Amino acid sequence: MKPLTVEDLVRKQEVAEHTYVRELWGPLPQEVEIKLKNLKALGFDLLRGLRGGRPTVFVADEAQHRRVGDIYEQAGERYEVQEVISEMPRATRLLLRVQLEDRRGVVRAFYRAESGEETLLFELPAALLLLTFFKKRGYAHLLTAFHSSGLTTLFLRKRGEEGKALPFASWPPKFRRALREAGDILRKFTGTGRFTLAFFGQNREGKDRYVALWLVPTVQLFRTEVAEHLDKHLAALN
């Protein structure tokens, strides 16, 4: 690896000094309750019927258009659809839990009945599930900025070449506002996480150059209000 020159080191120091941070750290949530419409946004229909001859709740890929009376086999088990659930019964819950397994985030969805009994609906890589959710909900900026996902998810948004990072006092109003609003999002919606922003001025065409990163708990992104605020926040950097 080529050694850093004095100029390289000075530039790194300038960027480090003028990369501004908003962060808030508390317990990292690994479970979140979601609404039925969010389950559909993930690409699943919630069904009630027989699985292997036993009454239970299960999901089917929305694209398969399962209907009452359908009988089919999947992964060696026989399913019979008796109801397509369009409204959640009282005191029931849909839960998403994320864990780090085999060096990547994995999300499991559960149906918790009034009795407290839980039924596993599916398990999928967190990255795949989030990208599907962002696409179906139209969160284009989260989709573009998505970088990686474990217990937390990282978004990276940048424009133009890095150069001399400017001090906060030299920033245009929209970038100052972005830093302030990031703090609001952390306090009001995610409860924990980190946002960083460095601004490098404008290029010859008058376009802003910057690097922005969001790090937030993965399960929080399946809450519509959280995803919407983050998507709009990234959009405002344009």
PDB file of all heavy atoms in Angstrom, residues 205-217:
ATOM      1  N   GLU A 205     -20.001  22.731 -11.841  1.00  0.00           N
ATOM      2  CA  GLU A 205     -21.374  22.863 -12.345  1.00  0.00           C
ATOM      3  C   GLU A 205     -22.327  23.416 -11.287  1.00  0.00           C
ATOM      4  O   GLU A 205     -23.538  23.522 -11.510  1.00  0.00           O
ATOM      5  CB  GLU A 205     -21.906  21.502 -12.829  1.00  0.00           C
ATOM      6  CG  GLU A 205     -21.270  21.006 -14.123  1.00  0.00           C
ATOM      7  CD  GLU A 205     -19.845  20.519 -13.914  1.00  0.00           C
ATOM      8  OE1 GLU A 205     -19.591  19.861 -12.881  1.00  0.00           O
ATOM      9  OE2 GLU A 205     -18.990  20.808 -14.780  1.00  0.00           O
ATOM     10  N   GLY A 206     -21.788  23.743 -10.126  1.00  0.00           N
ATOM     11  CA  GLY A 206     -22.613  24.312  -9.067  1.00  0.00           C
ATOM     12  C   GLY A 206     -23.400  23.285  -8.270  1.00  0.00           C
ATOM     13  O   GLY A 206     -24.351  23.635  -7.565  1.00  0.00           O
ATOM     14  N   LYS A 207     -22.999  22.004  -8.340  1.00  0.00           N
ATOM     15  CA  LYS A 207     -23.688  20.955  -7.593  1.00  0.00           C
ATOM     16  C   LYS A 207     -22.944  20.673  -6.280  1.00  0.00           C
ATOM     17  O   LYS A 207     -21.710  20.647  -6.242  1.00  0.00           O
ATOM     18  CB  LYS A 207     -23.777  19.677  -8.430  1.00  0.00           C
ATOM     19  CG  LYS A 207     -24.674  19.825  -9.651  1.00  0.00           C
ATOM     20  CD  LYS A 207     -24.812  18.513 -10.397  1.00  0.00           C
ATOM     21  CE  LYS A 207     -25.753  18.657 -11.579  1.00  0.00           C
ATOM     22  NZ  LYS A 207     -25.900  17.368 -12.324  1.00  0.00           N
ATOM     23  N   ASP A 208     -23.724  20.453  -5.232  1.00  0.00           N
ATOM     24  CA  ASP A 208     -23.145  20.207  -3.912  1.00  0.00           C
ATOM     25  C   ASP A 208     -22.386  18.886  -3.873  1.00  0.00           C
ATOM     26  O   ASP A 208     -22.825  17.886  -4.454  1.00  0.00           O
ATOM     27  CB  ASP A 208     -24.252  20.177  -2.849  1.00  0.00           C
ATOM     28  CG  ASP A 208     -24.926  21.522  -2.702  1.00  0.00           C
ATOM     29  OD1 ASP A 208     -24.220  22.542  -2.708  1.00  0.00           O
ATOM     30  OD2 ASP A 208     -26.171  21.550  -2.566  1.00  0.00           O
ATOM     31  N   ARG A 209     -21.267  18.884  -3.141  1.00  0.00           N
ATOM     32  CA  ARG A 209     -20.491  17.669  -2.913  1.00  0.00           C
ATOM     33  C   ARG A 209     -20.532  17.354  -1.424  1.00  0.00           C
ATOM     34  O   ARG A 209     -20.267  18.224  -0.586  1.00  0.00           O
ATOM     35  CB  ARG A 209     -19.042  17.864  -3.367  1.00  0.00           C
ATOM     36  CG  ARG A 209     -18.873  18.153  -4.842  1.00  0.00           C
ATOM     37  CD  ARG A 209     -17.415  18.401  -5.183  1.00  0.00           C
ATOM     38  NE  ARG A 209     -16.900  19.550  -4.450  1.00  0.00           N
ATOM     39  CZ  ARG A 209     -15.641  19.674  -4.050  1.00  0.00           C
ATOM     40  NH1 ARG A 209     -14.757  18.714  -4.269  1.00  0.00           N
ATOM     41  NH2 ARG A 209     -15.244  20.750  -3.395  1.00  0.00           N
ATOM     42  N   TYR A 210     -20.853  16.097  -1.099  1.00  0.00           N
ATOM     43  CA  TYR A 210     -20.997  15.732   0.310  1.00  0.00           C
ATOM     44  C   TYR A 210     -20.929  14.218   0.476  1.00  0.00           C
ATOM     45  O   TYR A 210     -21.046  13.452  -0.492  1.00  0.00           O
ATOM     46  CB  TYR A 210     -22.332  16.244   0.869  1.00  0.00           C
ATOM     47  CG  TYR A 210     -23.538  15.612   0.215  1.00  0.00           C
ATOM     48  CD1 TYR A 210     -24.074  14.409   0.693  1.00  0.00           C
ATOM     49  CD2 TYR A 210     -24.148  16.203  -0.889  1.00  0.00           C
ATOM     50  CE1 TYR A 210     -25.167  13.817   0.084  1.00  0.00           C
ATOM     51  CE2 TYR A 210     -25.245  15.621  -1.503  1.00  0.00           C
ATOM     52  CZ  TYR A 210     -25.747  14.432  -1.019  1.00  0.00           C
ATOM     53  OH  TYR A 210     -26.828  13.839  -1.632  1.00  0.00           O
ATOM     54  N   VAL A 211     -20.753  13.803   1.719  1.00  0.00           N
ATOM     55  CA  VAL A 211     -20.869  12.390   2.103  1.00  0.00           C
ATOM     56  C   VAL A 211     -21.740  12.329   3.357  1.00  0.00           C
ATOM     57  O   VAL A 211     -21.464  13.015   4.343  1.00  0.00           O
ATOM     58  CB  VAL A 211     -19.497  11.744   2.398  1.00  0.00           C
ATOM     59  CG1 VAL A 211     -19.686  10.318   2.917  1.00  0.00           C
ATOM     60  CG2 VAL A 211     -18.630  11.730   1.152  1.00  0.00           C
ATOM     61  N   ALA A 212     -22.788  11.528   3.307  1.00  0.00           N
ATOM     62  CA  ALA A 212     -23.698  11.364   4.444  1.00  0.00           C
ATOM     63  C   ALA A 212     -23.869   9.881   4.746  1.00  0.00           C
ATOM     64  O   ALA A 212     -23.971   9.062   3.830  1.00  0.00           O
ATOM     65  CB  ALA A 212     -25.061  11.986   4.134  1.00  0.00           C
ATOM     66  N   LEU A 213     -23.886   9.540   6.044  1.00  0.00           N
ATOM     67  CA  LEU A 213     -24.111   8.159   6.463  1.00  0.00           C
ATOM     68  C   LEU A 213     -25.162   8.115   7.564  1.00  0.00           C
ATOM     69  O   LEU A 213     -25.143   8.937   8.484  1.00  0.00           O
ATOM     70  CB  LEU A 213     -22.827   7.517   6.998  1.00  0.00           C
ATOM     71  CG  LEU A 213     -21.696   7.274   6.004  1.00  0.00           C
ATOM     72  CD1 LEU A 213     -20.682   8.402   6.091  1.00  0.00           C
ATOM     73  CD2 LEU A 213     -21.014   5.942   6.279  1.00  0.00           C
ATOM     74  N   TRP A 214     -26.059   7.158   7.449  1.00  0.00           N
ATOM     75  CA  TRP A 214     -27.032   6.851   8.502  1.00  0.00           C
ATOM     76  C   TRP A 214     -26.770   5.428   8.993  1.00  0.00           C
ATOM     77  O   TRP A 214     -26.621   4.504   8.196  1.00  0.00           O
ATOM     78  CB  TRP A 214     -28.457   6.901   7.954  1.00  0.00           C
ATOM     79  CG  TRP A 214     -29.198   8.186   8.170  1.00  0.00           C
ATOM     80  CD1 TRP A 214     -29.569   9.102   7.224  1.00  0.00           C
ATOM     81  CD2 TRP A 214     -29.719   8.676   9.414  1.00  0.00           C
ATOM     82  NE1 TRP A 214     -30.257  10.133   7.802  1.00  0.00           N
ATOM     83  CE2 TRP A 214     -30.372   9.902   9.146  1.00  0.00           C
ATOM     84  CE3 TRP A 214     -29.663   8.209  10.725  1.00  0.00           C
ATOM     85  CZ2 TRP A 214     -30.981  10.651  10.139  1.00  0.00           C
ATOM     86  CZ3 TRP A 214     -30.274   8.957  11.722  1.00  0.00           C
ATOM     87  CH2 TRP A 214     -30.925  10.162  11.418  1.00  0.00           C
ATOM     88  N   LEU A 215     -26.751   5.259  10.314  1.00  0.00           N
ATOM     89  CA  LEU A 215     -26.678   3.928  10.928  1.00  0.00           C
ATOM     90  C   LEU A 215     -27.838   3.822  11.904  1.00  0.00           C
ATOM     91  O   LEU A 215     -27.914   4.571  12.877  1.00  0.00           O
ATOM     92  CB  LEU A 215     -25.357   3.738  11.662  1.00  0.00           C
ATOM     93  CG  LEU A 215     -25.125   2.351  12.285  1.00  0.00           C
ATOM     94  CD1 LEU A 215     -24.918   1.309  11.190  1.00  0.00           C
ATOM     95  CD2 LEU A 215     -23.926   2.370  13.223  1.00  0.00           C
ATOM     96  N   VAL A 216     -28.772   2.902  11.641  1.00  0.00           N
ATOM     97  CA  VAL A 216     -29.979   2.796  12.459  1.00  0.00           C
ATOM     98  C   VAL A 216     -30.293   1.324  12.745  1.00  0.00           C
ATOM     99  O   VAL A 216     -29.867   0.437  12.008  1.00  0.00           O
ATOM    100  CB  VAL A 216     -31.195   3.451  11.766  1.00  0.00           C
ATOM    101  CG1 VAL A 216     -30.999   4.948  11.642  1.00  0.00           C
ATOM    102  CG2 VAL A 216     -31.437   2.839  10.389  1.00  0.00           C
ATOM    103  N   PRO A 217     -31.056   1.038  13.814  1.00  0.00           N
ATOM    104  CA  PRO A 217     -31.445  -0.344  14.100  1.00  0.00           C
ATOM    105  C   PRO A 217     -32.272  -0.924  12.951  1.00  0.00           C
ATOM    106  O   PRO A 217     -33.214  -0.289  12.464  1.00  0.00           O
ATOM    107  CB  PRO A 217     -32.301  -0.213  15.369  1.00  0.00           C
ATOM    108  CG  PRO A 217     -31.879   1.078  15.994  1.00  0.00           C
ATOM    109  CD  PRO A 217     -31.548   1.978  14.849  1.00  0.00           C
TER     110      PRO A 217
END
